[in-house]
Amino acid sequence: MSTKSSTILFVASEIEGLLKTGGLADVAKYLPIALKSQGHHLCLIMPFYRTMARRDEATFIDNIQINIGQSFSKTIGVWQLMLDGIPVYCVEQAEYYDRAQPYSEGEYGYPDNGERFAFFNIAALEIAAYLQLNIDIIHCNDWHTALIPYLLKTHYANHPSLAQVKTVLTIHNALFQGQFERGQFAMFGDLMTPLVDYLVDGYQCINMLKVGIRFSDKLSTVSPNYAKELLTRLGAHGLHEFFQQRHSDLHGILNGCDYSDWNPATDPLLPAHFDQTNLEGKWQCKLALQQQLELRQSTSIPIFGMVCRLTEQKGFYLLLPALEKFLRHRIQVVIVGTGDSQIVQQLNQLQQRFGDKFRFINTYSNTLAHLIEAGSDFFLMPSLFEPCGLNQMYSLAYGSLPIVRGVGGLQDTVIDYDQQSDDADGLIFYQPDSSELLNTLRRALLLYLEEPEQVMAMRQRGMHRQFSWQDAAEQYNQLYMDVLN
Ligand SMILES: Nc1ncnc2c1ncn2[C@@H]1O[C@H](COP(=O)(O)OP(=O)(O)O[C@H]2O[C@H](CO)[C@@H](O)[C@H](O)[C@H]2O)[C@@H](O)[C@H]1O
């Protein structure tokens, strides 16, 4: 595909390698890298969080005074880091971003998150103008950046360097909408006043994602199937009418998988390496995982792994009752994650009852995530909804067969054994129902015990599949061309 080189400002609240709480960070790193390799000029903007990695390496660029109306004035420091040859500008504003965590302490978001991220949107535009970045497109991501399209079409509509800038908003998870009491936006005065006329929830709240859906030039989400789901009442988290109004501008582009970080043949986080021609190293990883977690060491016992944020989205209320029964079999289950305290408590209780075969590690560990992908036989993703999902792609690359619910991007990436046995690389269930999940877990166990050649063929097929960021970047490139013409 021919590429017209554009200058793209990618704005995200987290970026892998600097700060990550979930899959958004992966996309905010790997998609810009792929776009750059296709000839675009890229730069990124994120907040200068206290907990950011590589903070000490950042170079101070300048202070910018941001004045809005008569009464609002704040100074930001602009810092710069390089990430794989791409400049990342970080917004320093101690009152907003120099906090213990990026979004929340404990389970509840910071009460001023609306103000913090509205300010981040304004700051991103002010930096683009001040540094004369000559931007063609601002690529926004999720609610944290969703006011940018609105600001460009209102306050900055006649700005000498921003008036022509186009926007794309990518939705990574439409459940998170950034809905805040309108008082949080009051200090921005006239800048936000039109919002109150347009888009209010219950008359008192501004829903930042809705604003982005309304004002962005193009919309995308992270898989074709989730794009379809967003047009339905069931799948759109209350926003179906807004998505329906913009359906011709909404595109589903499947995320890629970064095979430089996720390659079992070279992965420095693994104790042994393997590829589809020789899985010997995988069994060594399995034994190492069992040893590290003090589980019985045996390559013949199937391991079911899971790594994720502990939230309802990831299907724990289907999984927990199913595991109660499934753990009676000769299997091992390993779950790593952080999040909801009730899920933590229930997983801890399960571990007390099935201590010889179930491990729950309540931590965030990239090293353990890689070892689980490599050492598991099956990987669990019984999500209630899943815009794309990255772990099923990692598990396919690592020869672990994904067991997924057929929703969102999981449906787009996994091929079920019973539906298409010649092409299969995993198992799918559909109903959000514990007993259907349990049946599928048992289907997987039976396959493992009775058809080892099939299991091996499925592993190899999965390891062969490629979900490339280059393919995704080509589709975004098309979207950019459409939006600029
Ligand atoms: N305890 C832990 N230890 C180590 N690593 C952990 C971890 N918990 C999570 N991770 C890592 O965080 C990432 C999670 O990515 P996902 O895409 O699965 O989910 P998430 O729901 O955050 O992302 C949202 O955005 C992405 C990106 O668009 C969509 O794929 C997804 O469907 C949508 O919900 C993976 O790289 C995973 O390994």
Side-chain angles (χ1 to χ4, degrees):
M1 177 183 294
S2 68
T3 301
K4 178 181 165 294
S5 175
S6 305
T7 301
I8 298 150
L9 171 61
F10 203 90
V11 191
S13 60
E14 52 184 86
I15 303 171
E16 161 68 16
L18 299 176
L19 187 123
K20 172 171 170 176
T21 68
L24 165 62
D26 297 62
V27 180
K29 176 178 173 185
Y30 299 117
L31 178 57
I33 292 174
L35 288 165
K36 181 171 181 264
S37 78
Q38 297 197 352
H40 294 293
H41 303 290
L42 265 294
C43 47
L44 288 97
I45 295 192
M46 70 179 285
F48 201 39
Y49 298 115
R50 186 197 298 174
T51 47
M52 240 173 86
R54 300 182 49 208
R55 217 180 123 104
D56 297 348
E57 295 170 32
T59 314
F60 177 72
I61 299 203
D62 212 343
N63 282 320
I64 305 179
Q65 186 74 26
I66 299 183
N67 300 313
I68 299 165
Q70 304 295 318
S71 54
F72 185 92
S73 177
K74 271 194 201 303
T75 304
I76 57 167
V78 183
W79 294 76
Q80 185 188 339
L81 276 157
M82 294 304 286
L83 193 71
D84 286 64
I86 298 176
V88 183
Y89 299 106
C90 304
V91 181
E92 183 189 33
Q93 216 302 316
E95 204 184 307
Y96 288 143
Y97 313 123
D98 187 11
R99 299 191 185 180
Q101 297 296 329
Y103 309 122
S104 58
E105 268 166 71
E107 285 183 35
Y108 299 101
Y110 289 118
D112 59 349
N113 271 349
E115 179 183 335
R116 293 173 75 221
F117 284 97
F119 182 77
F120 173 54
N121 289 213
I122 297 166
L125 293 174
E126 293 288 337
I127 290 173
Y130 184 84
L131 298 182
Q132 299 183 339
L133 296 176
N134 293 321
I135 303 297
D136 297 306
I137 291 173
I138 301 186
H139 192 142
C140 307
N141 293 276
D142 277 350
W143 69 265
H144 320 92
T145 59
L147 294 187
I148 288 175
Y150 157 79
L151 291 167
L152 282 170
K153 288 199 163 76
T154 53
H155 186 72
Y156 295 90
N158 298 313
H159 189 283
S161 66
L162 297 175
Q164 302 304 319
V165 174
K166 302 290 184 191
T167 51
V168 171
L169 169 64
T170 295
I171 292 146
H172 300 263
N173 190 334
L175 177 67
F176 302 125
Q177 298 174 10
Q179 192 163 300
F180 301 102
E181 204 274 317
R182 68 193 235 197
Q184 286 209 30
F185 304 87
M187 73 281 296
F188 303 116
D190 289 350
L191 197 64
M192 302 290 178
T193 307
L195 282 185
V196 177
D197 296 338
Y198 276 111
L199 295 146
V200 290
D201 274 347
Y203 302 105
Q204 293 306 321
C205 285
I206 288 173
N207 180 317
M208 290 173 68
L209 190 62
K210 268 189 193 175
V211 178
I213 296 167
R214 162 75 178 73
F215 286 95
S216 190
D217 293 309
K218 290 279 179 193
L219 298 165
S220 76
T221 189
V222 288
S223 70
N225 197 36
Y226 192 58
K228 284 187 209 145
E229 290 173 1
L230 289 179
L231 300 174
T232 66
R233 184 184 286 272
L234 191 64
H237 318 279
L239 297 178
H240 56 286
E241 287 172 359
F242 286 79
F243 285 117
Q244 284 165 5
Q245 282 164 17
R246 298 291 318 268
H247 78 275
S248 58
D249 290 317
L250 172 64
H251 300 263
I253 301 178
L254 192 69
N255 283 337
C257 172
D258 182 72
Y259 295 103
S260 58
D261 275 357
W262 291 94
N263 179 355
T266 54
D267 188 336
L269 300 174
L270 298 184
H273 294 123
F274 55 98
D275 59 29
Q276 70 235 48
T277 62
N278 182 356
L279 275 87
E280 193 46 45
K282 184 168 173 74
W283 318 136
Q284 290 177 39
C285 290
K286 182 170 178 176
L287 291 169
L289 177 65
Q290 289 167 324
Q291 183 182 34
Q292 184 172 331
L293 301 184
E294 296 179 0
L295 287 165
R296 187 167 155 216
Q297 280 185 274
S298 159
T299 53
S300 70
I301 304 174
I303 302 186
F304 294 73
M306 184 168 183
V307 180
C308 64
R309 294 181 294 110
L310 305 179
T311 62
E312 213 177 325
Q313 175 195 342
K314 301 298 176 182
F316 281 96
Y317 295 109
L318 305 180
L319 183 63
L320 283 157
L323 282 183
E324 295 259 342
K325 297 195 173 112
F326 191 51
L327 279 163
R328 293 178 197 153
H329 297 286
R330 186 173 178 270
I331 56 159
Q332 294 173 342
V333 178
V334 175
I335 298 181
V336 173
T338 54
D340 186 315
S341 59
Q342 275 194 337
I343 298 174
V344 169
Q345 195 186 0
Q346 291 182 54
L347 289 168
N348 278 328
Q349 283 167 0
L350 208 60
Q351 177 159 267
Q352 278 167 13
R353 290 182 42 217
F354 296 96
D356 57 333
K357 50 176 78 167
F358 178 71
R359 284 291 173 279
F360 165 53
I361 305 98
N362 186 12
T363 187
Y364 189 99
S365 163
N366 193 34
T367 309
L368 198 49
H370 281 244
L371 185 59
I372 290 176
E373 294 285 9
S376 299
D377 296 286
F378 297 95
F379 195 89
L380 302 171
M381 293 186 76
S383 306
L384 291 187
F385 70 95
E386 196 61 75
C388 176
L390 298 169
N391 280 308
Q392 82 279 16
M393 301 187 194
Y394 303 152
S395 69
L396 287 167
Y398 281 57
S400 302
L401 307 185
I403 298 176
V404 304
R405 181 151 176 259
V407 287
L410 298 174
Q411 170 78 17
D412 285 328
T413 48
V414 177
I415 302 171
D416 178 73
Y417 178 67
D418 281 348
Q419 287 177 37
Q420 270 174 269
S421 56
D422 289 348
D423 300 324
D425 51 23
L427 293 102
I428 305 184
F429 72 104
Y430 289 91
Q431 292 307 315
D433 180 304
S434 279
S435 55
E436 201 185 319
L437 170 57
L438 180 60
N439 286 343
T440 308
L441 294 172
R442 287 182 170 145
R443 201 151 62 86
L445 181 57
L446 206 62
L447 193 64
Y448 182 87
L449 295 174
E450 296 195 348
E451 300 192 62
E453 302 82 19
Q454 283 292 353
V455 170
M456 182 56 85
M458 287 168 74
R459 289 190 206 276
Q460 288 170 328
R461 237 177 260 132
M463 292 176 81
H464 207 70
R465 291 189 69 191
Q466 292 282 312
F467 301 97
S468 117
W469 273 117
Q470 290 301 332
D471 289 348
E474 276 187 20
Q475 294 178 63
Y476 280 104
N477 180 38
Q478 182 62 55
L479 202 59
Y480 298 154
M481 289 204 284
D482 290 351
V483 87
L484 289 172
N485 289 326

